[in-house]
């Protein structure tokens, strides 16, 4: 075996140009696959980290009617959809891998938010519990924020985010001021900002589209107990659950959906709790990029096929050229399987060298792509391993016909061959 | 007895026609014999040698080699007989061009499954025996014709076969190198090696202890008459 490999190397190096040309198809095929796979992997990792914001493992479970999240601005809560009770909340907290559960209510567009005569156009209002900020990834930038009194009593206090602060209090300190929500005065006790790691990175138009729903002009947060002061007390809540890790997000979301949907008995069956997490979105985006790249992988595969046929062709020529050698070896007592092994090894060594060159070229290529096209790449060791094995297999498969031909040569015909 | 041919016929198919090449060949070779088979070009010498060398099969008749009926042997068994019991020497040497003299001589041992160390030792020994101890790592292209043929003889003898089979061993050599090869054959025969040599040259055949003639595929003890 080692003898065969050593002789194969000898043979390959004694025909450098020919061997290189033979390998070219394999080299190009493998290089293309490595470059494509690295680019896909890099892009996927970027999408994933952008969407999930590396560390924000939260799952949002909200009330949907069909495809759309329900907003109780224009419609009243449906019959049979109760407010989430403490018992149900306990159940949610007991879901495996669920770390924090926060219940909240939301008005996406609240027309009536004023400071003096300045209005917050298109601002959203959130009625939140004590877990909301940590679950959704906010921190208080100024002011003391909500305390126990705010959550337990019915304090008319509000925290506004930095966007709302800019709109309502240009150049002023909002903390301590009064704003007017739906005609009720609320005292500003803090300004909140989303922690930067929760902030999505927007690189492409797709990212932008994905996040344009978040481009509201500002958010304001009131304690959930104050919600009935301006809105209905019986509105069902949405919930945010922080999962232990990224991979458990989907499972946690599904479990929460099940629990919450078990509490409702709405006539309109399209009204349901639905979980939505960033990972799912990331995965659907990845699927899109995967499917476009499947095509490219197919093309690379065809290139490997053509490379394999090239190997077969050269091996057939080589068998004819070496008819004498084969005949001699048979005369000296080489059995069929020895000749078969020799030629198969030669084909496999040839394509493996091609594969290795292809891998190096592919890595260089992906670095160039990442430099010039500004696409991230992540070279996967799996794809390298697969490439080596695959190119070896190409050699063995396409070397089979020539090798069998060599093994079956009649020794006298072979010796007579001039 | 090393080998025995009984009523051997060999036809080649030329299109639909069977062309007879060997006709009713009867021959037996004893242990330690040195036989030369002479005949003009195209008379069937090489065909005979291929059958004796288990490289080809007769059309009819019986060939017994070392007490084995060769017609019953499968490819695997034939390989083994060629490997262990027969040493071949060809007119055109048939050395592997990219391998050293030593590696060429090692080949039969490789196919016999001998380990590397022992291969080296035995191949070197065989080369010493043919007087090439200072050419072991030379490639065939760096050797003269006579030296190449001596490497081939070392290769043929390295497995200590029962029979040394040579087809025109001096055909591609000058007279002097040819004489050296004949010298070597005589030495081997003196040591007890059985030799069957094919040639069309009288001077070469005269080195053997027994000469047979083949003419139009028929074997006889007599010279066919015409000068060859
Ligand atoms: N494979 C073959 N097919 C057809 N005819 C062949 C074949 N091999 C040899 N012959 C014919 O058989 C005859 C004897 O050939 P060969 O044994 O090589 O003669 P020699 O070695 O005595 O010169 C020749 O006429 C040759 O053309
Ligand atoms: Mg001949």
């Amino acid at each position: 075996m080692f003898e065969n490999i050593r002789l194969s190397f000898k043979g390959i190096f004694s025909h450098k140009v020919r061997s290189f040309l033979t390998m070219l198809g394999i080299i190009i095929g493998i290089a293309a696959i490595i470059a494509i796979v690295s680019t896909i992997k890099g892009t996927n990792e970027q999408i994933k980290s952008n969407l999930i914001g590396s560390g924000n493992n939260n799952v949002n479970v909200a009330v949907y009617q069909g495809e759309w999240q329900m907003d109780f601005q224009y419609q009243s809560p449906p019959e049979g959809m109760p407010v989430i009770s403490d018992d149900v909340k306990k159940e949610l907290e007991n879901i495996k891998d669920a770390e924090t559960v926060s219940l909240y209510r939301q008005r996406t567009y609240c027309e009536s938010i004023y400071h003096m005569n300045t209005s917050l156009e298109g601002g959203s209002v959130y009625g939140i519990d004590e877990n909301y900020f940590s679950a959704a990834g906010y921190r208080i930038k100024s002011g003391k924020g909500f305390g126990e009194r705010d959550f337990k009593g019915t304090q008319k206090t509000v925290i506004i985010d930095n966007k709302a602060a800019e709109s309502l209090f240009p150049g002023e300190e909002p903390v301590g001021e009064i704003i007017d929500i739906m005609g009720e005065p609320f005292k500003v006790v803090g300004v909140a900002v989303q922690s930067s790691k929760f902030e999505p990175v927007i690189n492409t138009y797709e990212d932008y589209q994905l996040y344009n729903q978040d481009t509201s002009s500002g958010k304001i947060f009131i304690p959930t107990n104050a919600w009935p002061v301006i809105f209905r007390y019986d509105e069902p809540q949405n919930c945010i659950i922080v999962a232990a890790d990224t991979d458990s997000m989907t499972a946690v979301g599904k479990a929460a959906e099940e629990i919450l949907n078990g509490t409702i008995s709405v006539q309109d069956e399209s009204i349901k709790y639905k979980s939505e997490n960033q990972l799912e979105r990331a995965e659907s985006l990845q699927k899109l990029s995967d499917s476009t790249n499947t095509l490219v992988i197919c093309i690379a595969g065809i290139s490997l096929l053509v490379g394999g046929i090239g190997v077969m062709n050269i091996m057939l020529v080589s068998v004819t050229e070496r008819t004498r050698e084969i005949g001699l070896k048979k005369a000296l007592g080489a059995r069929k399987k020895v000749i078969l092994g020799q030629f198969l090894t030669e084909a496999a060594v040839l394509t493996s060298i091609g594969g290795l060159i292809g891998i190096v070229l592919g890595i260089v290529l992906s670095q160039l792509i990442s430099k010039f096209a500004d696409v991230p790449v992540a070279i996967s060791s799996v794809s390298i391993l697969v490439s080596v094995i695959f190119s070896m297999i190409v050699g063995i498969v396409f070397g089979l016909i020539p090798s069998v031909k060599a093994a079956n040569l009649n020794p006298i015909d072979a010796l007579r061959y001039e | 007895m090393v080998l025995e041919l009984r009523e051997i016929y060999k036809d080649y198919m030329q299109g639909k026609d069977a062309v007879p090449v060997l006709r009713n060949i009867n021959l037996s070779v004893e242990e330690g014999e040195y036989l030369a088979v002479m005949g003009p070009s195209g008379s069937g010498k090489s065909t005979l040698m291929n059958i004796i060398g288990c490289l080809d099969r007769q059309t009819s008749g019986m060939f017994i080699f070392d007490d084995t009926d060769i017609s019953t042997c499968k490819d695997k068994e034939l390989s083994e007989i060629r490997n262990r019991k027969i040493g071949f020497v060809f007119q055109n040497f048939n050395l592997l061009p990219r391998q050293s003299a030593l590696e060429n001589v090692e080949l039969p041992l490789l196919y016999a499954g001998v380990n590397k160390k022992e291969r080296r030792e035995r191949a070197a020994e065989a080369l010493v025996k043919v007087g090439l101890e200072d050419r072991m790592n030379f490639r065939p292209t760096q050797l003269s014709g006579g030296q190449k043929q001596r490497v081939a003889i070392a290769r043929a003898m390295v497995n200590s076969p029962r029979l040394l089979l040579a087809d025109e061993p001096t055909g591609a050599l000058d007279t002097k190198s040819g004489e050296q090869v004949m010298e070597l054959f005589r030495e081997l025969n003196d040591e007890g090696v059985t030799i069957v040599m094919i040639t069309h040259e009288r001077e070469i055949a005269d080195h053997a202890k027994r000469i047979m003639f083949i003419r139009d595929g028929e074997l006889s003890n007599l010279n066919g008459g015409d000068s060859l």
Side-chain angles (χ1 to χ4, degrees):
Chain A
M1 189 69 202
F2 284 115
E3 188 67 11
N4 274 346
I5 293 174
R6 193 180 64 85
L7 288 178
S8 304
F9 270 103
K10 224 169 166 178
I12 288 163
F13 281 108
S14 63
H15 294 111
K16 285 189 197 69
V17 175
R18 182 212 272 189
S19 301
F20 178 74
L21 290 177
T22 309
M23 290 180 223
L24 206 55
I26 307 282
I27 294 175
I28 293 171
I30 294 287
I33 287 175
I34 295 280
I36 293 161
V37 170
S38 306
T39 315
I40 292 175
K41 194 164 171 247
T43 313
N44 281 354
E45 274 171 12
Q46 193 190 37
I47 289 173
K48 210 161 155 183
S49 73
N50 285 356
L51 287 181
I52 306 166
S54 59
N56 179 6
N57 299 327
N58 64 29
V59 190
N60 195 31
V61 189
V63 182
Y64 276 74
Q65 181 168 33
E67 292 296 304
W68 306 98
Q69 192 173 337
M70 280 188 99
D71 195 310
F72 303 107
Q73 175 107 1
Y74 310 106
Q75 52 195 138
S76 25
E79 284 290 321
M81 177 153 271
V83 170
I84 298 173
S85 68
D86 284 350
D87 288 346
V88 175
K89 192 180 172 198
K90 276 259 151 50
E91 263 186 75
L92 293 175
E93 280 164 348
N94 287 335
I95 294 173
K96 184 171 173 291
D97 292 325
E99 292 196 328
T100 313
V101 176
S102 163
L103 303 179
Y104 70 98
R105 296 184 173 101
Q106 175 184 359
R107 277 282 184 291
T108 313
Y109 290 103
C110 179
E111 312 266 296
S112 183
I113 303 169
Y114 288 98
H115 169 240
M116 318 291 266
N117 288 327
T118 320
S119 98
L120 182 62
E121 295 292 341
S124 359
V125 185
Y126 290 79
I128 64 171
D129 62 9
E130 63 277 17
N131 289 336
Y132 184 83
F133 281 153
S134 79
Y138 284 89
R139 63 183 172 80
I140 303 297
K141 197 179 76 175
S142 60
K144 61 177 171 47
F146 294 146
E148 194 146 331
R149 282 182 53 204
D150 301 286
F151 290 120
K152 291 278 145 65
T154 45
Q155 299 290 319
K156 289 202 275 184
T157 47
V158 66
I159 293 174
I160 64 179
D161 77 350
N162 49 341
K163 267 191 193 161
E166 273 165 34
S167 308
L168 291 171
F169 301 94
E172 289 173 55
E173 176 54 51
V175 176
E177 299 294 319
I178 302 291
I179 63 172
D180 199 282
I181 311 167
M182 306 291 283
E184 292 286 335
F186 279 75
K187 186 179 178 193
V188 179
V189 295
V191 176
V193 287
Q194 199 151 30
S195 323
S196 64
K197 70 169 182 177
F198 289 78
E199 210 94 66
V201 183
I202 295 184
N203 280 337
T204 65
Y205 182 65
E206 273 175 359
D207 289 351
Y208 171 77
Q209 277 191 322
L210 209 61
Y211 282 97
N212 63 2
Q213 66 205 71
D214 270 9
T215 56
S216 58
S217 45
K219 293 175 182 165
I220 64 175
F221 306 93
I222 60 174
T224 190
N225 282 0
W227 190 261
V229 174
I230 42 177
F231 302 113
R232 292 177 61 133
Y233 69 93
D234 59 350
E235 276 180 29
Q237 304 100 312
N238 297 328
C239 102
I240 288 188
I241 304 177
V242 179
D245 52 57
T246 313
D247 293 328
S248 55
M249 286 165 66
T250 310
V252 168
K254 294 291 171 232
E257 255 178 36
E258 208 161 291
I259 292 170
L260 292 171
N261 284 328
T263 67
I264 63 173
S265 50
V266 188
Q267 281 219 311
D268 180 351
E269 294 209 334
S270 71
I271 297 179
K272 271 196 191 114
Y273 281 99
K274 267 195 191 173
S275 69
E276 166 206 345
N277 68 47
Q278 311 291 44
L279 187 65
E280 268 178 4
R281 286 194 201 169
E283 275 165 2
S284 65
L285 252 185
Q286 279 168 17
K287 276 199 195 104
L288 198 76
S289 76
D290 279 355
S291 65
T292 46
N293 286 317
T294 308
L295 191 72
V296 191
I297 296 235
C298 281
I299 292 168
I302 290 170
S303 153
L304 272 184
L305 187 75
V306 172
I309 292 169
V311 169
M312 177 154 76
N313 189 25
I314 291 294
M315 291 296 296
L316 283 171
V317 171
S318 163
V319 169
T320 309
E321 267 184 7
R322 285 152 63 185
T323 302
R324 279 195 87 82
E325 173 194 324
I326 297 162
L328 170 79
K329 287 183 168 171
K330 289 195 140 188
L332 295 183
R335 286 176 47 192
K336 276 185 182 182
K337 65 174 190 189
V338 171
I339 306 285
L340 191 74
Q342 181 198 335
F343 278 86
L344 279 184
T345 309
E346 196 166 313
V349 168
L350 189 71
T351 52
S352 302
I353 295 176
L356 289 177
I357 298 176
I359 288 168
V360 173
L361 194 68
I363 292 173
V364 171
L365 217 61
S366 24
Q367 299 299 345
L368 288 180
I369 291 173
S370 87
K371 231 191 196 115
F372 293 107
D374 206 23
V375 178
V377 294
I379 286 147
S380 94
S381 45
V382 175
S383 70
I384 288 178
L385 195 71
V386 168
S387 301
V388 173
I389 292 170
F390 195 72
S391 49
M392 215 180 262
I393 290 172
V394 166
I396 289 170
V397 167
F398 288 94
L400 200 61
I401 292 175
S403 305
V404 167
K405 190 184 160 196
N408 284 331
L409 275 181
N410 188 343
I412 47 161
D413 291 341
L415 281 171
R416 193 185 295 275
Y417 183 86
E418 297 293 335
Chain B
M1 191 144 46
V2 177
L3 65 92
E4 187 178 3
L5 298 159
R6 267 185 242 154
E7 295 170 23
I8 292 285
Y9 285 80
K10 175 73 184 175
D11 300 340
Y12 279 119
M13 296 307 291
Q14 205 96 71
K16 277 185 203 151
D17 307 321
V19 180
V21 177
L22 296 180
R23 283 181 254 218
N24 194 22
I25 304 275
N26 289 285
L27 171 70
S28 58
V29 176
E30 301 292 332
E31 188 84 49
E33 255 199 84
Y34 186 175
L35 169 70
V37 177
M38 286 192 69
S41 184
S43 57
K45 300 187 299 292
S46 297
T47 307
L48 179 62
M49 146 140 175
N50 288 338
I51 290 173
I52 294 176
C54 304
L55 292 165
D56 202 0
R57 290 178 194 272
Q58 67 271 28
T59 309
S60 71
M62 178 117 120
F63 172 38
I64 294 168
F65 184 93
D66 201 21
D67 301 328
T68 310
D69 182 355
I70 294 304
S71 57
T72 65
C73 289
K74 295 195 183 65
D75 183 72
K76 183 185 157 186
E77 293 155 321
L78 289 181
S79 304
E80 211 165 291
I81 290 172
R82 290 196 295 262
N83 183 241
R84 291 168 199 266
K85 300 189 177 172
I86 304 173
F88 290 92
V89 175
F90 303 93
Q91 177 173 359
N92 45 17
F93 325 124
N94 275 329
L95 300 176
L96 297 184
R98 278 197 290 276
Q99 305 201 24
S100 68
L102 196 64
E103 287 170 321
N104 267 286
V105 177
E106 273 183 50
L107 271 183
L109 298 173
L110 178 71
Y111 300 139
V114 176
N115 70 47
K116 177 134 192 150
K117 187 165 165 283
E118 196 184 331
R119 281 204 314 258
R120 276 279 126 103
E121 282 168 12
R122 282 169 63 180
E125 226 171 88
L127 280 168
V128 170
K129 197 140 187 247
V130 298
L132 288 175
E133 57 272 18
D134 52 349
R135 295 286 188 278
M136 292 198 189
N137 294 314
F138 283 46
R139 289 187 177 199
T141 45
Q142 300 165 313
L143 297 172
S144 72
Q147 288 170 332
K148 279 192 246 189
Q149 198 59 301
R150 272 153 48 201
V151 173
I153 292 167
R155 181 179 65 189
M157 295 309 299
V158 74
N159 240 349
S160 318
R162 291 216 63 189
L163 174 70
L164 179 64
L165 199 51
D167 188 356
E168 311 256 12
T170 59
L173 301 178
D174 59 85
T175 324
K176 193 163 160 278
S177 307
E179 281 303 321
Q180 282 177 349
V181 167
M182 284 304 103
E183 190 78 24
L184 208 51
F185 273 30
R186 192 182 358 257
E187 275 171 35
L188 289 170
N189 183 243
D190 287 346
E191 287 166 25
V193 177
T194 311
I195 301 176
V196 173
M197 173 175 73
I198 279 160
T199 182
H200 64 271
E201 289 176 77
R202 183 77 215 197
E203 304 86 82
I204 296 301
D206 280 339
H207 287 274
K209 291 178 183 163
R210 175 157 75 118
I211 302 178
M212 300 279 283
F213 298 92
I214 188 167
R215 205 168 174 84
D216 294 332
E218 286 184 272
L219 198 63
S220 68
N221 286 315
L222 304 168
N223 188 343
D226 316 32
S227 66
L228 295 165

